[in-house]
Amino acid sequence: HIDMVTTPGDDTRQTISVTIFPRETLETIGIAPLTTMYFKGPLRSAVGDDFRPAVHDSDVLVVKNGAGETLWRPISNPALVESSAFADENPVSFGMYQSDRSFEAFQDTEAHYNHRPSARVEPRGDWGKGAVTLIEIPTADEFMDNIVVFWRPSESLEKGTEHRFDYDLVWTLSDPVVDGAHITQTRSGIDPIDRESLQFVVDFDALPTNAWPELKVTDGAEVSEPVLLALPGAETAEQGAPKPTRVAFKLRPGNADRVDLRLVMRGASNEPLAPVWLHRWTRARDGGV
């Protein structure tokens, strides 16, 4: 049973209540699902012979979890179906965002991907333990919603019981609200000298000069020490304000088929200065590294 009230505005908000009466025990279920499309972008620029630099309805999953962290997870078009679970208890919000609103990012005068709305789920009440679950499905074109995200409760929904989930679904053209610096873009490509390595760059809109990156990687791969670089010519940086900053590092995946990366920007007192950047590298559909 679903109740829904829609309130239009600059942000359109849908107040939703879902009540589930399982006729059979549900070992796993997806609550408040969102779907979107990601074909190509700076992280997967070689998957299609296409004149446009990016083709997607969304490019990042943003999760505000119950522990007070903001997770920033760029999505991709992988070689195989990929499932990622971000364990949580009583999540604050999760949503799929279009992070760049400029025409130059897409160069598309028909689909107008720069105008596609973002969508955010805001749970109401106690959702308990579970995981924000992301499914990424390979696609050879832009005509399939190949990305799904939903809440998966940790406990089964038993036959004959009643379960209610209340949440707001917010449609917006605004950027996600985060504590600290915004992540403005993520790019990767094969290193021109070491062809078995990938160069990654993660750009932030403003970080203090004493910021330092903490990078972690799963077993089976190597990463270089991340380097912090100030980006010149920043129109947004006022006198004395932190300037846009780039973190650059190299990934050598070796024989791994997938590698999970986690980057945290910290200050002098070890406090986080930006969302936690997460990425799962997989072998590209066209062979890649």
Side-chain angles (χ1 to χ4, degrees), residues 209-228:
T209 55
N210 63 349
W212 56 275
E214 181 182 278
L215 179 64
K216 295 182 180 179
V217 63
T218 53
D219 293 339
E222 300 177 359
V223 289
S224 65
E225 189 72 22
V227 178
L228 200 63

Side-chain angles (χ1 to χ4, degrees), residues 67-86:
E69 289 182 315
T70 300
L71 309 181
W72 186 280
R73 169 60 156 80
I75 56 178
S76 64
N77 182 3
L80 301 171
V81 175
E82 294 289 335
S83 176
S84 303
F86 308 98

Side-chain angles (χ1 to χ4, degrees), residues 181-192:
H182 275 80
I183 299 172
T184 57
Q185 68 173 355
T186 303
R187 294 179 176 270
S188 70
I190 297 174
D191 186 272

Side-chain angles (χ1 to χ4, degrees), residues 98-109:
Q98 189 76 302
S99 66
D100 196 331
R101 294 293 177 186
S102 66
F103 170 79
E104 290 75 18
F106 300 94
Q107 296 289 323
D108 194 320
T109 57

